[in-house]
Amino acid sequence: MESVPSNKTKDNKTNTDQATNTPVASEHMDSVRYEQLLNESPTTYDLFKKGHDINPDAPALSFFLQGTAYKENETFSYAEMLTEIHQVGNFMDTLGLEDDAVVAMLLPNLPECYSVIIGVQTRHIIMPINPLLEPEVISELLATAKARVLVTLAPFPNTEIWSKAKYIAQHVQSLAHVVSINMADHVLGKKSLPAKVLQKRQDIIENDVTALLFGSKAGLPNHINWHNWKTAIAKQPGDRLTFENNKSKRRNSLDYSSFFCTGGTTGRPKIAKRIHKNEVSNVLQVRAALGDDLVGNGKNLLCGLPLFHTNAVMVTGMLPFSLGSHVVLATPQGYRGEGVVANFWGIIEQYQINFFSGVPTLFSSLLNIPIKTQDVSSLQYCLSGAAPMPIEVFNQFETQTGMSILEAYGLTEANCGSSVNPREGERKIGSIGQSFPHQEMIVAILEEDGLFRPAKVGEVGNVIIRGDNVFAGYYIDSQNKDIWLYDTVEDKQKADNNQLNPAKRWVNSGDLGYQDSDGFFFLTGRKKELIIRGGHNIDPKLIEEPVYKFGDIEICAAIGKPDVYAGEIPILYVQPKTGASIDKKALEAYCQDHIGERAAIPKEIHIIDEIPLTPVGKVFKPALKRLANVEAVATLLNEHNIAADVTTQEDATYGFITCVKVTDPNQLETAKHLAGQFAIALDIR
């Protein structure tokens, strides 16, 4: 018998003494040094300036447009990037907006993204948006945050972003300015001129022939001020921030820096408010955990995660920039760009990459791309986060490549990262590691009125976090209900009266887990019911709420079904009203048209007689998860002609585990290998 609980092992559980916050060994940065650096860099701009000052002529950022032509790149020095950051900040200042104005960024991964993010933060609040969201959802988010400026992509063949920008401009009343960036500027060599011609043609198609005279302004409402990116920032000084000595304009550590949208439990993404101190402190905490030598000056880091996600912005952005390192940005679509995975090891060799951050689906894909003649000896570590890493994928990747994966954990509400397996010493496969230095992460048993008791070693509870990195709360105040926890009744009372230092409160991650006697954390499930598809959070309500409007549906429930590649895929269970029948194809078409996020459209729809309910009448999703797990495992084994009995059974730690009894003992190892690719708790025998 082999027990393979997803990314966890029960051997570490003793369930005796109280667990404690045991951070990764912090010899890389003690508390005195941490506080010193935190005071020296109150904002993200100051953090970037620190890296710039190490060597202004060093390469800061390289970008290649296509994975099939990864050797063709643009490279920007720290001096060039700082110039553009100054120009962006100065341009934003000339718009005459209120101090806490929100500037939305709706872009694919382009070099300008980093300058937009840091430049906007020198004066206002940046709000990166997922371009794959439907325009109605984006408009709702921007209207909620009262966005004043939208930085987006100019019309370009085979892109939909400008059409979304036009919709947003018509529906977000607070919006006053649209700034467009031309992707044709990044097409190099002989293709440059044809790309510019095609871009102008697309401008006319999407806006009007008057775009020849007025540019993309032709497609926008009259009240919107349109700005061409290159023209707008070229007019601004690049040697300094013109307002740097104006205390009423310069941002400080407690000012809002960014609004990131995060998958929540209320249907639409929630808007998480973060201050500069959250972002700067978390960069320093990562450095304390991993050491400056891993990602510091002279190192090359690959960025392929989307820059609307905090992981890409912080781990492969502000972290290396703070140390004068070199970031290589891979295609507008990141790792999903055509040819990126197929040429991955060539990219590592070409740019002598030392470190990259990815999600489990990337590592799973790379198992199919053998290292041939490429020299990848520069690559030291890979960081995996955003979703559980199947143990089988973990083991196969390290065996096949000889590289070390550091599995980590974090959430937008705690800025980005909160735990990681240590570089030095023991790594525990299946664990999300130990907490970062200079923040606290523990497992808690929740009590009434926002109080808790620390869990014992091995006792499953809620993972909670506090520290300088913890966010300021959600934009909509009602969404902050029940997310904060307090050490004492007195602290809770002070918080109710707005008299408590925010650093003393804990944020409830919503994730369930336990801590072993060495301080390593193991996740056992998610109390919140998010579906994690390829590291991207999907709220089930984003699927369920529109489906209820289809008609003749009594109950519906969306869950995540295990998937070898994506980790989970969204599927939908539907119970018709009594006496009604549902046309499955019509419902599938309806979902295509009415679910506001492409990634959330169910990959499967199951019409069943009765959806399981709790005694109080709520949908009991664990029962549906059991069905989905059994089907996923059984289908995979059947595809490989392995006969097995697949069931589930109750489990005190994980709620339930999926049990596989293989008929032919000679196929047992193959079955373990195949089923082990799922990030679920398994018992295979």
Side-chain angles (χ1 to χ4, degrees), residues 231-251:
T231 304
I233 67 167
K235 297 176 182 177
Q236 303 301 323
D239 60 334
R240 70 195 186 286
L241 293 171
T242 56
F243 51 88
E244 61 186 350
N245 295 320
N246 187 330
K247 291 184 178 180
S248 67
K249 291 185 176 183
R250 273 296 301 271
R251 311 298 279 176

Side-chain angles (χ1 to χ4, degrees), residues 662-682:
V662 180
T663 303
D664 183 354
N666 294 322
Q667 294 182 311
L668 179 59
E669 291 304 316
T670 303
K672 289 178 181 178
H673 163 71
L674 291 170
Q677 297 176 91
F678 292 118
I680 60 176
L682 287 163

Side-chain angles (χ1 to χ4, degrees), residues 249-267:
K249 291 185 176 183
R250 273 296 301 271
R251 311 298 279 176
N252 64 55
S253 64
L254 300 181
D255 285 328
Y256 291 125
S257 56
S258 62
F259 290 170
F260 273 84
C261 299
T262 179
T265 54
T266 57

Side-chain angles (χ1 to χ4, degrees), residues 309-358:
H309 192 282
T310 185
N311 186 307
V313 174
M314 304 308 299
V315 178
T316 47
M318 289 310 307
L319 170 63
F321 289 147
S322 74
L323 292 164
S325 308
H326 177 211
V327 174
V328 178
L329 186 62
T331 84
Q333 299 80 29
Y335 293 132
R336 296 174 184 266
E338 182 182 357
V340 173
V341 171
N343 293 293
F344 193 84
W345 304 121
I347 293 167
I348 299 297
E349 178 183 44
Q350 173 70 20
Y351 295 97
Q352 291 294 287
I353 299 297
N354 305 110
F355 177 91
F356 72 87
S357 178

Side-chain angles (χ1 to χ4, degrees), residues 276-334:
H276 281 272
K277 189 174 187 178
N278 298 152
E279 301 191 351
V280 173
S281 66
N282 204 214
V283 167
L284 298 178
Q285 290 161 1
V286 178
R287 287 169 55 177
L290 298 180
D292 288 356
D293 61 307
L294 179 62
V295 293
N297 181 245
K299 299 294 185 179
N300 304 305
L301 285 79
L302 181 65
C303 176
L305 295 175
L307 284 165
F308 61 79
H309 192 282
T310 185
N311 186 307
V313 174
M314 304 308 299
V315 178
T316 47
M318 289 310 307
L319 170 63
F321 289 147
S322 74
L323 292 164
S325 308
H326 177 211
V327 174
V328 178
L329 186 62
T331 84
Q333 299 80 29

Side-chain angles (χ1 to χ4, degrees), residues 442-460:
I442 64 171
V443 176
I445 306 302
L446 304 190
E447 298 176 345
E448 295 181 354
D449 299 323
L451 302 179
F452 67 93
R453 69 165 175 82
K456 297 176 182 179
V457 170
E459 185 178 15
V460 174

Side-chain angles (χ1 to χ4, degrees), residues 164 199 204 235 279 306 317-318 349 365 377 381 420 428 430 453 477 483 513 523 536 595-596 605 616 665:
K164 293 181 180 182
Q199 190 281 323
I204 295 169
K235 297 176 182 177
E279 301 191 351
M318 289 310 307
E349 178 183 44
S365 297
S377 58
Y381 289 95
V420 69
K428 295 192 178 185
R453 69 165 175 82
D477 191 57
I483 67 166
L523 296 183
H536 175 62
I595 291 176
I605 294 178
V616 295

